Amino acid sequence: MTTEQSQDQPQQQVPTLAEEASAAQEFLGGLLDVFELRGDLRSEELDEETVEVGVTGEDLGLLIGPKGQTLSALQELTRTAVQRRLGARSGRLLVDVAEYRRTRRAALEHFATDVAERVKQAGVPTALEPMVPADRKVVHDTVNAIDGVSTTSEGEEPNRRVVIVPAEQA
């Protein structure tokens, strides 16, 4: 085996996003069967490195859980199942159920915009409730796109929170 061949071989073993999506859909389909739930599975490549697998249907709240905690665990289980099945993962694998993540993102963007406008008007920093990293990122991205305010994070997990501050105090 030449050096060129040995360098090529591991690259061939890295699964494509489509293969990861297929393995994730198979895992999630089995999970739906075990829980006797009905749902439609779909996948969408969000960018070159990210694929989202979604489950839509009725009565899927069990898979979301309070504040999306069960969904977060489901995403980690799915990632682990895909990695074990394919031997590796090449990109980011996201799981959404009943469009919970999309709805949550839109609500967080709206909330963050409202708070940022109040901070701009009052000139007083505002600390938000503790959030998971993904939610904090949405808030940071949303607020930092607004002139006159910025964000910082403070605290330690699981009590880490975003603070929205007027730009002149940043």
Side-chain angles (χ1 to χ4, degrees):
M1 181 184 298
T2 67
T3 305
E4 207 172 288
Q5 288 173 327
S6 64
Q7 288 175 347
D8 288 345
Q9 197 169 20
Q11 292 175 348
Q12 294 171 347
Q13 294 177 359
V14 175
T16 65
L17 287 178
E19 290 169 329
E20 288 184 27
S22 177
Q25 285 179 318
E26 188 175 316
F27 173 76
L28 291 168
L31 192 70
L32 289 172
D33 289 343
V34 168
F35 283 106
E36 298 180 352
L37 298 171
R38 290 179 181 252
D40 295 317
L41 296 163
R42 61 142 181 90
S43 65
E44 176 184 358
E45 289 188 22
L46 302 178
D47 59 41
E48 294 175 353
E49 300 173 350
T50 309
V51 64
E52 180 181 76
V53 176
V55 182
T56 55
E58 307 257 336
D59 300 322
L60 296 175
L62 175 70
L63 299 179
I64 298 170
K67 295 185 180 180
Q69 292 173 332
T70 304
L71 177 56
S72 293
L74 178 62
Q75 179 169 283
E76 289 307 311
L77 282 172
T78 304
R79 287 176 176 168
T80 300
V82 167
Q83 187 162 356
R84 285 195 176 171
R85 178 153 187 245
L86 300 178
R89 282 199 0 248
S90 60
R92 289 184 57 214
L93 176 63
L94 304 175
V95 175
D96 197 4
V97 174
E99 296 191 347
Y100 174 83
R101 290 192 193 278
R102 287 186 183 169
T103 303
R104 175 118 176 111
R105 179 179 186 88
L108 278 170
E109 288 171 346
H110 180 73
F111 170 73
T113 300
D114 287 349
V115 174
E117 291 301 325
R118 287 194 304 249
V119 167
K120 271 175 49 172
Q121 289 175 357
V124 178
T126 300
L128 305 180
E129 292 181 17
M131 297 179 189
V132 297
D135 288 352
R136 286 196 310 267
K137 181 174 180 358
V138 171
V139 172
H140 283 299
D141 291 348
T142 301
V143 173
N144 289 326
I146 300 171
D147 289 334
V149 288
S150 65
T151 59
T152 62
S153 286
E154 62 182 36
E156 300 294 322
E157 294 295 349
N159 296 314
R160 194 151 174 85
R161 64 184 70 232
V162 175
V163 180
I164 302 174
V165 296
E168 61 271 5
Q169 294 181 24

